[in-house]
């Protein structure tokens, strides 16, 4: 006991308790605070375009989706009563056609795998609607999603609208919680960036058909260097809308729920894909000059979001290894006195409390009201996975961002 | 397992058009202004109408009666060109090459020189000496008979 007290006193005296990278936590919380600040003036469109003034086509690209989820998806779309539902699929299952036709959808069965981009283009060309509502084949709309998502199109400058995606749990709790926190956090981000979104998430999105037709050529021949981009369709659609001077807006009242990833590994795969497309399009935006024309809050978000993992890595290196830093002294202390369990446990305790507090404060700053109860253990697990699995993966994604041109996953959703 | 493919006579008009669209999009070098199915333009009923930046494409399925129909509307086609100030191109989609009667097809053209062309399945050909016409040989198969 006395020995532990002596250790604690030593740590207090030399400041070795600063194991937690406080500078990173401050940076992280400051970013959340600013995003919340930028989002304060956001209001969803309460009036706008109505169904009697425009035709709406719902386009659903399908490949390898669970039939049960696909049926729930298309049933929910049919309940929204669009003028037309188009399912574009290039897998070989007759059941997909049967389900789609049961709910009055037009089915386009493609003879070759053309990828999600190709499937979308075929859907747009065939559509009769002035507004195309696009959703993933695992997304379930609420009853008024379409009526809500078309409202912003009363403004002729609006080319694309982001609905509000949330998740429903399919299997693993951790990928579900992680995904849900990301979606709820994105709600704040897109409120802040309303008008110039960084990405209109393909889970639930709507576009003016004339805009989609206008950019088919660019969309279908989207390249990065010599590589042809076949995924990141939602990033591309947002990029070209911003490039062409259109507005990309958020309609928080157009809610839809998508299937959470089944396993943490699949969730990681999805995050890797998103991170790669994030870095790739950031470079594209910089090269084309678009990045520098966007509002300051857009640039702030992109840089702090995509470079946070690097910032954390630097903070960690600085905290643990840079000579002269108090924690680095503790390593020398450990090296001198050997493997000291009380110090390690104490440091771990400080780390866990710091992590918990940072996450909790972040939730409060963003005013996240998640539908699920998140325990202390959940927060710690998510925090540790975020810092030590997702963040390194982001760094890996930045290094291999050109890999976004590769096809990953067994379905359009990976 | 391999796909079960449909036979040619089971192909629908939609399948041929989508096959063409897939191929067309790959090579597209212009903006698409408008795209509509079953459109009447200047008195001509077209199964698919594509208004591109530099030209208008009217897409038809190759059949004997389509040729007759188009030949009787040649003046209307010319008027679209004048009205819209864009070239008008007729796209004929054909799944069975042996059906193709090139002499009759070429009646649609301004030039009456019969070029030496052979079109095989899977080819998209502009007929030389006839810039108003493009023949699209069906490239793939649509999966309509599915595996159990």
């Amino acid at each position: 006991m006395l020995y532990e007290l002596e250790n604690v006193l030593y740590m207090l005296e030399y400041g070795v308790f600063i194991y937690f990278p406080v500078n990173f936590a401050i940076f992280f919380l400051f970013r959340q605070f600013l995003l919340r600040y930028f989002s304060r003036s956001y209001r969803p469109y309460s009036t706008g375009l109505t169904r009697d003034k425009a035709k709406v086509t719902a386009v659903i690209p399908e490949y390898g989706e669970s039939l049960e989820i696909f049926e729930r998806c298309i049933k929910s779309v049919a309940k929204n009563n669009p003028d037309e539902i188009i399912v574009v699929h290039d897998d070989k299952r007759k059941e997909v056609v049967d389900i789609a036709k049961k709910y009055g959808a037009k089915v386009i069965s493609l003879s070759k795998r053309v990828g999600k981009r190709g499937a979308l283009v075929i859907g747009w060309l065939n559509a009769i609607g002035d507004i195309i509502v696009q959703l993933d084949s695992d997304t379930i709309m609420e009853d008024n999603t379409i009526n809500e998502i078309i409202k912003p199109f009363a403004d002729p400058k609006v080319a694309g609208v982001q609905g509000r995606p949330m998740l429903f749990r399919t299997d693993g709790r951790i990928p579900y919680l992680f995904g849900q926190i990301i979606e709820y956090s994105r709600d704040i981000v897109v409120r802040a960036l309303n008008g110039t979104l960084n990405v209109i998430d393909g889970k639930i999105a709507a576009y003016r058909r004339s805009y989609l037709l206008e950019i088919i050529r660019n969309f279908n021949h989207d390249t990065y260097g010599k590589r042809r981009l076949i995924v990141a369709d939602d990033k591309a659609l947002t990029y070209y809308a911003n490039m062409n001077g259109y507005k990309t807006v958020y309609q928080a009242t157009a809610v839809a729920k998508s299937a959470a990833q089944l396993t943490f590994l699949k969730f990681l795969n999805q995050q890797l894909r998103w991170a790669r497309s994030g870095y790739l399009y950031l470079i594209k935006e910089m090269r084309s000059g678009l990045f520098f024309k966007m509002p300051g809050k857009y640039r702030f978000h992109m840089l702090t979001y995509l470079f946070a993992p690097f910032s954390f890595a630097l903070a960690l290196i600085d905290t643990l290894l840079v000579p002269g830093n108090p924690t680095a002294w503790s390593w020398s202390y450990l090296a001198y006195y050997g493997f000291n369990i009380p110090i390690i446990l104490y440091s771990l305790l400080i780390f866990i409390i710091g992590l918990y507090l940072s996450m909790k404060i972040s939730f409060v700053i963003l005013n996240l009201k998640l539908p699920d109860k998140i325990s202390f253990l959940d927060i710690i697990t998510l925090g540790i996975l975020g810092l030590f699995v997702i963040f390194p993966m982001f760094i890996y994604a930045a290094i291999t961002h050109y890999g976004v041109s590769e096809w990953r996953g067994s379905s359009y959703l990976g | 397992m391999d796909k079960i493919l449909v036979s040619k006579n089971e192909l629908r008009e939609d399948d041929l058009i989508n096959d063409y669209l897939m191929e067309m999009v790959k090579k597209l070098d212009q903006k698409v202004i408008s795209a509509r199915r079953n459109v009447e333009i200047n008195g001509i009923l077209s199964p698919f109408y594509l208004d591109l930046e530099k030209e208008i494409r009217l897409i038809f399925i190759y059949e004997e009666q389509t040729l007759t129909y188009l030949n009787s509307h040649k003046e209307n086609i010319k008027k679209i060109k004048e009205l819209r100030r864009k070239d008008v191109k007729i796209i004929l989609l054909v799944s069975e090459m042996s059906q193709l009667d090139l002499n009759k097809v070429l009646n649609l053209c301004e030039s009456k020189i019969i070029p030496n062309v052979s079109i095989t399945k899977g080819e998209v050909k502009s007929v030389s000496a006839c810039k108003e016409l493009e023949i699209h040989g069906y490239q793939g198969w649509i999966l309509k008979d599915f595996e159990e």
Side-chain angles (χ1 to χ4, degrees):
Chain A
M1 189 75 179
L2 274 174
Y3 178 72
E4 282 174 24
L5 184 65
E6 186 192 321
N7 274 332
V8 170
L9 286 173
Y10 175 87
M11 284 185 278
L12 288 173
E13 186 184 347
Y14 289 98
V16 290
F17 60 93
I18 310 175
Y19 179 79
F20 189 73
V22 174
N23 45 354
F24 177 74
I26 292 169
F27 155 80
F28 177 68
L29 295 177
F30 178 66
R31 171 189 141 77
Q32 309 293 66
F33 173 77
L34 272 186
L35 282 174
R36 179 74 193 279
Y37 176 75
F38 290 140
S39 70
R40 76 197 184 288
S41 57
Y42 171 81
R43 299 283 178 282
Y45 292 72
S46 55
T47 56
L49 190 69
T50 48
R51 292 289 306 278
D52 54 319
K53 302 225 168 50
K55 281 190 175 170
V56 178
T57 297
V59 173
I60 312 168
E62 189 281 333
Y63 182 81
E65 188 57 76
S66 139
L67 292 173
E68 188 253 327
I69 290 179
F70 176 64
E71 178 152 13
R72 285 173 66 192
C73 160
I74 198 150
K75 191 178 173 184
S76 74
V77 178
K79 260 187 134 179
N80 271 261
N81 199 26
D83 296 281
E84 182 185 45
I85 306 172
I86 296 180
V87 173
V88 190
H89 81 129
D90 56 7
D91 67 15
K92 296 186 277 182
R93 296 176 300 169
K94 185 178 183 297
E95 295 89 338
V96 172
V97 181
D98 294 341
I99 292 169
K101 288 196 169 166
K102 186 174 154 189
Y103 295 98
K106 176 180 175 176
V107 184
I108 300 175
S109 304
L110 299 175
S111 58
K112 301 164 196 161
R113 277 205 78 183
V114 291
K116 189 175 176 183
R117 287 194 186 211
L120 287 172
V121 168
I122 292 296
W124 306 339
L125 286 168
N126 277 278
I128 59 161
D130 311 297
I131 306 296
I132 308 281
V133 176
Q134 278 176 196
L135 66 156
D136 285 343
S137 53
D138 68 346
T139 297
I140 294 149
M141 287 181 170
E142 293 199 337
D143 290 353
N144 64 343
T145 306
I146 287 184
N147 288 343
E148 288 299 317
I149 206 166
I150 66 166
K151 282 179 180 171
F153 289 104
D155 177 352
K157 290 291 281 176
V158 171
V161 179
Q162 166 77 80
R164 181 170 186 193
M166 295 184 196
L167 298 185
F168 64 86
R169 189 174 165 183
T170 46
D171 193 358
R173 179 172 161 77
I174 289 296
Y176 162 71
L177 281 181
F178 228 129
Q180 194 75 297
I181 290 172
I182 289 173
E183 295 303 344
Y184 272 74
S185 306
R186 269 207 81 233
D187 172 61
I188 304 297
V189 173
V190 286
R191 279 167 191 259
L193 304 184
N194 189 36
T196 49
L197 302 183
N198 62 325
V199 59
I200 298 177
D201 188 342
K203 288 192 195 80
I204 177 70
Y207 295 93
R208 203 179 288 282
R209 184 170 178 259
S210 56
Y211 158 70
L212 294 173
L213 296 180
E214 184 187 319
I215 54 111
I216 283 180
R217 179 188 45 169
N218 294 328
F219 181 71
N220 211 48
H221 299 114
D222 203 11
T223 53
Y224 182 72
K226 285 181 183 169
R227 286 166 183 259
R228 184 166 167 241
L229 300 177
I230 56 170
V231 286
D233 50 284
D234 43 10
K235 278 297 288 184
L237 290 176
T238 319
Y239 171 78
Y240 287 114
N242 289 331
M243 274 291 277
N244 294 355
Y246 291 113
K247 283 188 198 167
T248 46
V249 304
Y250 178 47
Q251 180 68 339
T253 49
V255 178
K257 285 185 179 168
S258 286
Q261 295 293 320
L262 289 166
T263 62
F264 188 67
L265 213 62
K266 286 192 171 180
F267 171 76
L268 270 184
N269 189 20
Q270 179 198 52
Q271 293 301 308
L272 177 63
R273 218 172 54 240
W274 288 359
R276 278 176 165 172
S277 56
Y279 289 112
L280 189 142
Y281 275 90
L282 176 69
I283 296 168
K284 259 177 95 87
E285 284 175 10
M286 285 182 169
R287 280 183 183 171
S288 66
L290 175 67
F291 181 77
F292 305 101
K293 291 178 197 157
M294 298 301 263
K297 58 188 178 182
Y298 180 96
R299 295 198 295 270
F300 167 79
H301 165 68
M302 293 304 285
L303 292 178
T304 52
Y305 165 64
L306 291 172
F307 290 100
F310 292 92
S311 169
F312 173 70
L314 287 174
L316 208 61
I317 290 165
D318 178 57
T319 308
L320 296 177
L321 302 174
V322 173
N325 186 305
T327 313
W329 289 347
S330 76
W331 287 102
S332 321
Y333 176 86
L334 282 178
Y336 188 75
Y337 288 101
F339 194 66
N340 191 325
I341 290 174
I343 285 189
I344 292 169
L345 287 179
Y346 185 74
S347 292
L348 206 62
L349 187 70
I350 293 293
F351 180 79
I352 285 172
I353 291 171
L355 190 64
Y356 178 76
L357 286 177
S358 301
M359 294 274 282
K360 267 295 200 194
I361 295 169
S362 163
F363 285 6
V364 172
I365 292 175
L366 294 180
N367 194 26
L368 294 192
K369 287 174 184 153
L370 294 158
D372 308 273
K373 218 173 169 185
I374 299 189
S375 67
F376 175 81
L377 198 65
D378 286 332
I379 288 187
I380 298 305
T381 311
L382 295 174
I384 288 174
L385 288 174
L387 290 176
F388 298 107
V389 180
I390 304 283
F391 271 17
M393 189 212 66
F394 261 66
I395 295 172
Y396 171 71
I399 297 163
T400 60
H401 63 278
Y402 51 84
V404 78
S405 59
E406 292 161 10
W407 192 265
R408 293 185 69 84
S410 59
S411 77
Y412 282 150
L413 310 172
Chain B
M1 276 191 285
D2 290 326
K3 302 166 186 174
I4 296 176
L5 305 172
V6 294
S7 62
K8 285 169 195 165
N9 55 12
E10 285 178 274
L11 293 170
R12 294 175 310 170
E13 180 181 289
D14 281 3
D15 301 330
L16 290 170
I17 292 174
N18 283 324
D19 189 71
Y20 169 74
L21 293 176
M22 278 197 286
E23 292 305 314
M24 184 270 305
V25 162
K26 277 188 203 165
K27 298 164 199 153
L28 193 65
D29 59 351
Q30 321 168 43
K31 278 184 188 172
V32 181
I33 312 294
S34 173
R36 294 276 173 213
R37 275 193 178 275
N38 302 319
V39 167
E40 188 182 327
I41 174 161
N42 209 30
I44 303 164
L45 261 170
S46 175
F48 204 93
Y49 163 83
L50 261 177
D51 186 0
L52 303 176
E53 209 175 351
K54 298 171 199 160
E55 66 196 40
I56 287 168
R57 294 188 192 182
L58 301 176
I59 300 161
F60 297 89
I61 309 298
Y62 175 84
E63 277 174 346
E64 195 75 31
Q65 58 263 41
T66 312
L67 288 184
T68 315
Y69 178 76
L70 288 171
N71 269 311
S72 66
H73 284 81
K74 272 169 85 169
E75 285 309 308
N76 301 46
I77 295 170
K78 277 185 195 168
K79 275 184 192 157
I80 300 173
K81 190 176 174 178
E82 287 161 19
L83 284 169
R84 305 295 294 273
R85 292 178 185 173
K86 279 182 189 177
D87 285 338
V88 178
K89 195 179 261 181
I90 303 293
I91 312 292
L92 285 178
L93 308 180
V94 58
S95 62
E96 183 51 75
M97 289 302 150
S98 58
Q99 289 174 357
L100 198 71
D101 184 338
L102 201 57
N103 287 333
K104 283 187 182 168
V105 169
L106 287 168
N107 278 335
L108 291 168
C109 302
E110 292 283 319
S111 164
K112 294 288 179 282
I113 305 160
I114 298 174
N116 182 19
V117 288
S118 65
I119 300 154
T120 56
K121 196 181 91 179
E123 270 191 309
V124 182
K125 273 227 162 136
S126 293
V127 183
S128 57
C130 184
K131 68 179 174 105
E132 307 94 339
L133 195 67
E134 191 177 275
I135 298 169
H136 178 90
Y138 186 58
Q139 305 247 340
W141 297 98
I142 300 293
L143 296 163
K144 280 212 270 52
D145 283 348
F146 296 88
E147 291 171 26
E148 292 303 318

